[in-house]
Amino acid sequence: MTQHSQTPTGVQELFAQLESDQPTPDGDASEDGRSRRRHLNREKVIRALIDLIREGDLKPTVDKIADRAALSHRSVFRYFDDLNDLARAAFETEFRDALPLAVVEDIGVGALDDRIDRLVVAQLRTLQRTHLLGLVARSRAADIEAIEVGQRKIYGLRLEQITRHFAPELHAMPTPRAEAIASSIAVMTWLDSYDVQVRTARRSPNEIAELWKITLRALLT
């Protein structure tokens, strides 16, 4: 088996889009210093929100965000239109940073058990990083259209990744069954299902991984 990683179709394009959406300092030399400071302070606010959510504060106040960023409370809104704008920027930043974790090595290559193992590893490490921020994003999607659109894109890429990775098994099935199984795998390994396993069923990452592997084998054989 080759040792290189393959990026699922569409992920590189989405990554490029997220990169292009990031503000970049510009202007002449006299403006460069102010632009750079503004960019750095904006990043501090974004990272402050991300860090607070990762630590378990799912609804941090503006005061907490400003204190963590070591900026004045008023300055938060110099860089963002409102809290929804800040939340959107934070979620896009976290997804962009976590995107490489979701790449499945040697997609579609190897025996079924090996492919199952690689898919589980990639999705579990991604969810372990993005779990709490993903829950907050889900709760804000109704108010922030960009988050809702982003989640649909992520789901589409996930479904495409699964379809490619398990193509030999899925192609041998009638189309309705193959589509149902691919969708079931995507949902089983999605944020909401992972949250139920972690917070409700109180399963460890190793237990979740084993549960997913057993279920994937049952679905695909």
Side-chain angles (χ1 to χ4, degrees):
M1 183 183 301
T2 58
Q3 296 301 311
H4 65 283
S5 297
Q6 297 182 12
T7 304
T9 302
V11 171
Q12 288 176 322
E13 289 80 0
L14 185 55
F15 187 89
Q17 178 183 330
L18 289 170
E19 285 292 314
S20 67
D21 287 342
Q22 298 305 301
T24 54
D26 54 13
D28 58 29
S30 63
E31 293 291 328
D32 190 58
R34 285 193 295 272
S35 296
R36 185 175 295 108
R37 282 194 299 275
R38 178 180 177 82
H39 180 72
L40 291 175
N41 285 342
R42 188 178 188 277
E43 286 296 308
K44 283 182 181 180
V45 175
I46 290 172
R47 292 296 173 186
L49 175 57
I50 291 172
D51 289 345
L52 286 166
I53 292 174
R54 278 184 183 163
E55 292 167 10
D57 188 348
L58 303 188
K59 295 182 179 180
T61 63
V62 174
D63 288 352
K64 284 185 177 180
I65 295 168
D67 288 345
R68 177 62 64 93
L71 297 169
S72 69
H73 301 178
R74 179 182 296 181
S75 68
V76 170
F77 295 107
R78 292 178 187 167
Y79 311 115
F80 303 94
D81 296 337
D82 51 31
L83 284 177
N84 280 351
D85 188 34
L86 168 57
R88 177 198 56 76
F91 301 143
E92 287 183 355
T93 297
E94 177 69 354
F95 173 67
R96 187 180 68 251
D97 291 349
L99 191 58
L101 298 177
V103 174
V104 177
E105 293 184 359
D106 295 315
I107 192 163
V109 176
L112 176 60
D113 281 351
D114 291 337
R115 281 180 283 132
I116 287 174
D117 288 348
R118 296 199 304 277
L119 185 87
V120 168
V121 166
Q123 187 64 356
L124 198 57
R125 70 190 174 201
T126 304
L127 289 170
Q128 284 180 289
R129 170 170 177 147
T130 62
H131 178 204
L132 294 181
L133 207 76
L135 291 181
V136 177
R138 171 71 83 189
S139 72
R140 304 294 294 276
D143 298 320
I144 307 174
E145 184 180 3
I147 294 176
E148 183 68 31
V149 171
Q151 289 183 333
R152 287 198 296 269
K153 286 182 179 178
I154 294 169
Y155 180 81
L157 291 171
R158 181 81 181 129
L159 191 58
E160 181 181 1
Q161 182 186 61
I162 289 165
T163 301
R164 290 181 61 204
H165 198 49
F166 298 118
E169 292 75 26
L170 296 174
H171 287 171
M173 303 175 187
T175 298
R177 177 177 173 81
E179 291 177 350
I181 287 177
S183 295
S184 297
I185 293 171
V187 171
M188 180 185 71
T189 57
W190 192 246
L191 170 71
D192 304 88
S193 299
Y194 175 80
D195 182 60
V196 169
Q197 296 296 339
V198 170
R199 298 203 298 170
T200 304
R202 311 293 292 178
R203 288 191 169 96
S204 69
N206 286 341
E207 289 171 331
I208 295 170
E210 189 59 28
L211 182 151
W212 285 356
K213 290 176 184 180
I214 291 170
T215 306
L216 285 166
R217 291 187 193 101
L219 288 171
L220 293 165
T221 57

